[in-house]
Amino acid sequence: MATPNPVMFVAKHPFNGNVAQAQLSFPAGATIAARPGQEGNVWWWGSYRGAEGWFPPAYVTALAATPPASMQQRMQTASFAPAQQQARPQQQQQQQPQRPMPAGGMSPQPTNADRFGVTQQPQPAASHPLGGFGVVAPQQPQGMASMVNDPFAGLESTNTMQPITAAAAATTLGTPGPMQSPGPMRSPTSTGGLSTNGSMGSMGSMSPTSVGGSNGSVTQAPYQPQKTQKQMIDEQLGKKKAEEEARQKVEHEARFKRAQEEAARKMQENRDRVAQEAAEKTRAAAGATQGALPMAPQMASPTPAMSPVPTMPSPPQLGQLPTFNPYQFLSGANSTEPMRKFNPIYRVQPYWALLKLDSYIRRFPKVDPEKKGDTAGMYEQLSKALSFICHVVQETERNARVQSGGYGQTNTSESNLSFLKTNYWGCEACIKLISILPHSAGASGATLDGLFLNFINVFVSLVGHLQANQQIVMPGGWQQPNKSTVLLYILRNCGDNKWSFTVCNTGKDGLEYHPSSYDNASGMEQKQLAMTIWDIPYERLTDSTFWCVLFRMQVYPSKRNNAKFLYTQLLPALNARPLLSNMDLGPAEFLEVPDASSAVMFHDLSRLALTTTPMQGARCSKYTSLLVMNAAVDLAYVNIVDARASSMDPEDTRILKLTGRNLANFASTIEPSSVTDGTLGAALSYTWDQLDRLLKKLNFASSKPIDIHSHGVAASTLVDGFSKGSVSTLRAEPGSAAHPFFGRLRQDNYENTVKALMGDPRPDPILIPAVLTDENMPNVATDYMTASSSLRRVCDACSLLMQQRRLVKNGPAFVASAAQYALSIMLPMPNLDATLCFWRKGEMRRETQINLLFLIRRMCRIYQAATACVQQSRGLIAIRSTTFACAACIADGISRVKAVDDPSVFSLHYSGLCEGPTEPFGIEAGSFESLAANLPIYDPLFCSLRFQCLDYLRGLTLKMDGTERPTVFNFDASLTPFGGDFALINQLSIQLALPRPYPATDRASANHSSALISGVNGSIIEVLPEFEYFRDIVFHFKHAVSGKSPTPPNVSEHQMWLPSDGTLKWTTK
């Protein structure tokens, strides 16, 4: 046969193929020759620089057509084999081992050499739509971009072609000739020719190419070993089994077709009967209006008369409605429509979820979204949610078809939700699929494999029966050893051999792969909860391999079953496109993500699956949800339409009033631009009239407390003797009961009684303004007076805000920000060099020194209380610890100042300026250097402040020779005094003439130092108040980096704290 000319392409992107899978590699801009007729396939076969293999078509673009070669060029490129051929040895006729095949349905071939001696790579198999060359290899499943370790990965498709023998393939399809390049190609000089397997012809083997022409070839049939008797018996049994299955399938389809015809006939009879009854009523009404006049004969109208009640407009017809019923296909031809009872409908939880009443109803027990139930329970809950949403559509259609007139029904033969008929049958089929899917069968091994294989066979057959503009809903998700995730899939036949696959997800697992947007009105995040994969070829979805891998995730628990595998591998393989590129192929709707507690009940997921129609021109899900909610409220009204006056329960009245409120709120959020069929105005008018009638009925039928407990007797019996208990009759009004003596317990002045019980109203609070800014004060203190004045103003304003934290929104956050600014920016950082330090280079009075330490301690209390009232995070801990470190460093620098008027004894001993054999003390960074190193700091200012604090604290604890100085107040390590504490307390005791323990044992010294430091023995704090202030500041700093909570563990996290709550109370053991 003639070899077709190759099609030339240019590479847009470089591709590095896998040699083990016979894939082709080429750089960007390379010219590639590909075999024609491969359009629509996932992988194409081509050659580049003498190498051949598979490559993705998305990486190349077509070249302009090349003019055909001249006769001279064709003669130059032609070569002829010898006229005589010798028989090939039988060893060379054996089938060569097959090479791996790239994913996508291509089958490798034995390596052959063309007439020019160039080795050819594997070609597509004969059973593939591309055609085969020579030997027929087993066909691999089609439609997957990557293989997975799956026990059913090698299952043959249910729609596979009949296998053909190798001899038939050899006689039908010839060996491919060499690919023609655009320019002339000269054959290399050869004396005897090269064989097709690449070996030299010196041993007398000839090329199988005949002399029939340069473009023709004849191929010998490859060697086939003889079949054993067991293989022949198995082949015969397989043929008989296939014939039996084909016969049963034909019978099943015939029964199903007869059942459909019978159902259509009964439906037509019902329509005719309803039309006849309506015509009779119309004639009777016309006769009554005309009186005695003779009535002319009238023809029966095919449809009933219209009701004066406003009805929803009919949707635009999106193609011909399908006649195939997937529910009957799964349940049997003789199955009937499922019947359910939700009476009264407004008392069931699915109704509350549909009308968004969950926020008003407290659940017992509360649903924990993190602790989901077992897999079987989750699928059972999903079936219940689907059953309710199907019940709404089913009852709405039944009421519209059976009844005529009345509120909530139309006099037409179709209901307001008739356009959801196809979606309704798809949801009913999903309930049936959940029942036969072995998601939690409890079986294992061969038993589970058999159940799963039966499900795949039934489902693939169901997909093959779907008609154009028809869709089905399927259970989806994945199952892991310790938890399960449930989704819903929508498969739709869009017509023209194109399909769509929609993933409906309302949970948190996997939503990160769905496109996001935001609401222009509220600014809240929205997600494309129903993400659709468009333009899927029919062959991909009729291949059982994809369905095996997809449903395997729900049947076989594994850690590899996750959202990444579904969204990044399975879904892109359907149409060979990136996931987000599908947004440009069809409509995309963004909706608000349900809360976690509602998502686990699957009511929002079921509603999304019913209202989603992945098709151009279809109604959006939000608008369709409004129509479904209207239908549900109609059904609720039917339950109370006959209620008598004052007969409804107050709880039912409250539920229905909340229903009306939520329905009105939801209807007000519909964007007019999202409804393209022009029916939004009629729908909103219908909703308005519906809510108006519902409210009137509730006002009439609702129970009032006084009406319930009234006497209920007729007005004629209200005589003077009634108040004394004398009643002439017990006959009461309809809906009431006679309670003659109940009036003695009535409280006619009910409002005054309530006010007396409530007491006098609390007077309105007085809001005192707090000023946090001052234009006359500098941002950074320039002298001691400015620092003291600014610090006191900020402390006073923060105290006002904290006292009025319930009146000022976000008051604690403002206070924390102001205190943080004061301690980190307004007060300058100290320096180790006294001549450069802001706090030590000038003259300072002792009263200024004490005042500054007191204000810094007060600011630390305010900052501690404010940060305890806001939301806690690791970033807040990092900023808080750095702010307290700045406060400790500033307090250390102030404590080392030698006052010009009356130097403090504590300052002299702490700074080492006291006479005698003393040395300066310091404070350690401790956990601020080790534990706080892992805290996140994103502000460059605080990152710089952290390094300044660390350098300052390290300089305090190290001498010039590298040895360590004694340190005090190491509260982060232990609350027991250390050596530096003993030395400082000993020096202060000598200076102040305080009694010291004798004998000075370690225990006695520890008790003595603890009593003086804590203030239990107030001898030092009474004389040196700056000692107490500095101790508290250092404790706030040490506690901020200790990793402990600043609040007690038994206090609510919403507790509002005051600065006085941050007062430290010291004691000893």
Side-chain angles (χ1 to χ4, degrees), residues 308-338:
V309 179
T311 60
M312 292 299 301
S314 300
Q317 296 296 334
L318 302 177
Q320 185 179 3
L321 293 178
T323 59
F324 172 69
N325 189 335
Y327 173 78
Q328 289 186 355
F329 178 84
L330 296 173
S331 302
N334 298 327
S335 61
T336 59
E337 189 176 3

Side-chain angles (χ1 to χ4, degrees), residues 76 105 112 148 310 400 405 436 540 554 581 596 602 689 697 801 821 980 1002 1027 1050:
Q76 290 176 354
N112 294 321
V148 295
I436 63 177
R540 300 283 176 84
Q554 306 179 55
S581 65
F602 307 121
D689 296 338
K697 186 63 181 179
L801 282 177
Y821 175 84
D1002 294 341
F1027 178 85
N1050 56 350

Side-chain angles (χ1 to χ4, degrees), residues 971-1053:
F971 300 124
D972 56 341
S974 175
L975 292 178
T976 303
F978 283 92
D981 300 320
F982 294 155
L984 179 61
I985 293 301
N986 188 42
Q987 294 179 21
L988 293 177
S989 299
I990 295 175
Q991 183 75 21
L992 300 176
L994 301 179
R996 292 180 296 165
Y998 182 83
T1001 61
D1002 294 341
R1003 184 177 183 85
S1005 299
N1007 293 335
H1008 176 68
S1009 300
S1010 299
L1012 291 176
I1013 292 175
S1014 63
V1016 174
N1017 184 353
S1019 300
I1020 291 181
I1021 294 179
E1022 181 184 3
V1023 180
L1024 304 173
E1026 62 271 17
F1027 178 85
E1028 178 187 6
Y1029 304 152
F1030 183 63
R1031 176 204 65 186
D1032 291 350
I1033 296 171
V1034 174
F1035 182 85
H1036 283 297
F1037 163 60
K1038 296 290 186 177
H1039 187 274
V1041 295
S1042 64
K1044 298 179 180 179
S1045 174
T1047 59
N1050 56 350
V1051 179
S1052 173
E1053 60 180 3

Side-chain angles (χ1 to χ4, degrees), residues 349 363-372 595-601:
Q349 187 177 2
R363 295 194 183 102
F364 290 103
K366 294 183 178 180
V367 178
D368 187 3
E370 299 295 335
K371 185 179 179 182
K372 300 181 181 180
D595 60 279
S597 59
S598 300
V600 297
M601 305 306 294

Side-chain angles (χ1 to χ4, degrees), residues 29 110 148 158 214 245 328 434 447 491 640 746 873 932 1025 1052 1057:
V148 295
T158 55
S214 61
E245 291 179 353
Q328 289 186 355
I434 293 175
T447 304
L491 179 64
I640 66 170
R746 290 180 57 175
S873 64
S1052 173
W1057 302 94

Side-chain angles (χ1 to χ4, degrees), residues 54 64-65 97 112 143 165 201-202 204 208 227 324 396 460 528 543 609-610 636 731 830 846 862 927 936 967 991 996:
W54 305 106
N112 294 321
T165 62
S202 59
K227 298 181 180 179
F324 172 69
T396 302
V460 175
Q528 187 183 358
D543 191 344
L610 175 70
R731 182 172 298 175
R846 186 178 181 185
I862 295 173
S927 300
T967 58
Q991 183 75 21
R996 292 180 296 165

Side-chain angles (χ1 to χ4, degrees), residues 185-227:
M185 180 184 297
R186 298 184 178 273
S187 174
T189 305
S190 176
T191 57
L194 298 179
S195 64
T196 58
N197 57 6
S199 60
M200 296 298 295
S202 59
M203 298 302 295
S205 60
M206 298 298 177
S207 171
T209 306
S210 66
V211 197
S214 61
N215 293 332
S217 62
V218 178
T219 306
Q220 288 185 348
Y223 170 76
Q224 287 188 350
Q226 296 182 356
K227 298 181 180 179

